[in-house]
Amino acid sequence: MRVLVTGASGFLGARVSDALLARGDEVVGLSRDPERARGSNPTVRWHAWNATGERPPAAAVEGVDAVINLIGEPIDQRWTPEAKQRIRESRERATRNLVDALSAADTRPRALVSQSAVGYYGDRGDVVVDESTPPGSSFDAAVCVAWEAAAGAAEEIGMRVAVLRTGLPLDARAGLLKQLLPPFRLGLGGPIAGGRQYMPWIHVDDWARLVLWLLDGDARAGAYNGTAPSPVTNAELSKTLGRTLGRPAVMPIPKLAMKLRFGSELGEVVARGQRAIPRRALDAGFEFAHPDLEPALRDLLAR
């Protein structure tokens, strides 16, 4: 199968591209800098794409059987007005440009798996959240709603669309866990803003397996939560990571510190969370290789 992957040079894009290649699929990648991307993974067929300014080139879409859409500017930055515009356009406008290119293709791919995030639900406290929960009202929730709507337009051209509302993918070499490891290894880690907020985590291998599962299942459409079945609070994550590393994890990080680092709006969001569970994937028979946090962390840290 030939699969087009947007965001293929990023942390998650590289992981899912490797998973596709490992099972014998052909991967077509889109990048603003294809020469640089080719240096990191020469097995992928790279094409240049200015995601918010144009459609992907027709040559990238030609002969593609399915599409995985992971495009998006990092959201963990200060939410200035300019940053908010970039964050939204890099998801909504880029996805609309992608769907426009798919619509114009001589032979359209059969499926689109498009990234979203559990930020869709906004702050939900300790209430259990599944795919039937309505969206929140925060900026990140509004971005996810617009992002999903842009992907959903592919249904109008006869494609099956599955949306993956991803939680916090854990990998010792990238993302949240990579950022946590240095202070925790020094014994300086601890809960953030009291630690009561839920953190809907997922082992990065399970995330990649879930993307391919959605890609392959002809009946799998609509929204799916990309989270492990056992969400934990920030305090539980901190305690478990400290225990896994053999270090104390009792140095609390106040909400004010988060606001000073990320700005008041994102700092407030960091102090909140979603107790999200992957109900639709579980009901459909998906089996997580790493359903529980401590074994997942031990696996990641042993690599």
Side-chain angles (χ1 to χ4, degrees):
M1 180 164 61
R2 180 180 294 178
V3 183
L4 174 65
V5 181
T6 75
S9 59
F11 154 44
L12 293 177
R15 180 56 62 96
V16 80
S17 294
D18 287 345
L20 288 164
L21 292 167
R23 70 178 198 174
D25 291 329
E26 181 182 351
V27 177
V28 180
L30 294 171
S31 173
R32 184 182 292 273
D33 187 350
E35 290 303 319
R36 181 177 180 182
R38 191 171 293 112
S40 63
N41 194 337
T43 312
V44 173
R45 294 177 52 191
W46 294 99
H47 293 268
W49 183 36
N50 174 10
T52 59
E54 62 187 6
R55 296 178 181 181
V61 178
E62 182 180 357
V64 166
D65 299 297
V67 180
I68 298 172
N69 179 38
L70 306 175
I71 200 74
E73 170 122 351
I75 201 164
D76 56 342
Q77 57 180 295
R78 285 180 174 269
W79 286 357
T80 64
E82 297 78 12
K84 281 185 171 183
Q85 183 176 356
R86 291 195 308 270
I87 288 167
R88 180 158 183 154
E89 288 189 350
S90 69
R91 289 163 172 78
E92 181 187 13
R93 184 181 295 276
T95 300
R96 282 197 276 113
N97 287 340
L98 171 65
V99 172
D100 285 346
L102 299 176
S103 179
D106 292 334
T107 303
R108 293 166 186 163
R110 60 176 176 79
L112 168 64
V113 177
S114 192
Q115 179 83 297
S116 184
V118 293
Y120 172 94
Y121 303 110
D123 178 32
R124 296 289 172 167
D126 61 359
V127 175
V128 173
V129 169
D130 66 17
E131 294 87 351
S132 66
T133 304
S137 58
S138 57
F139 165 70
D140 53 332
V143 168
C144 289
V145 170
W147 196 5
E148 294 184 17
E155 293 178 345
E156 300 172 10
I157 59 173
M159 294 180 63
R160 176 177 61 86
V161 178
V163 169
L164 187 60
R165 293 173 183 160
T166 297
L168 299 166
L170 297 185
D171 187 326
R173 295 167 293 182
L176 173 68
L177 184 56
K178 180 183 178 181
Q179 296 178 38
L180 291 177
L181 283 175
F184 272 79
R185 280 175 167 149
L186 292 172
L188 301 176
I192 297 172
R196 291 183 296 275
Q197 69 276 27
Y198 272 85
M199 303 189 73
W201 65 278
I202 185 169
H203 190 295
V204 69
D205 287 355
D206 275 338
W207 175 86
R209 291 177 57 244
L210 192 51
V211 171
L212 269 58
W213 181 79
L214 291 175
L215 193 72
D216 295 339
D218 290 338
R220 293 162 194 156
Y224 290 79
N225 285 341
T227 62
S230 54
V232 298
T233 64
N234 177 263
E236 291 171 312
L237 185 146
S238 299
K239 182 178 179 181
T240 304
L241 180 57
R243 183 170 60 247
T244 303
L245 292 170
R247 297 288 188 274
V250 294
M251 298 289 289
I253 302 173
K255 183 190 295 186
L256 178 60
M258 292 294 97
K259 290 187 175 184
L260 290 173
R261 178 177 178 183
F262 294 114
S264 59
E265 190 172 4
L266 179 54
E268 190 68 34
V269 170
V270 170
R272 300 173 179 176
Q274 305 85 19
R275 191 177 182 179
I277 59 170
R279 189 180 303 280
R280 289 198 68 203
L282 291 172
D283 287 349
F286 181 82
E287 296 185 4
F288 286 81
H290 307 279
D292 299 308
L293 181 61
E294 186 164 345
L297 288 174
R298 293 193 181 280
D299 176 78
L300 290 165
L301 296 175
R303 300 183 177 191

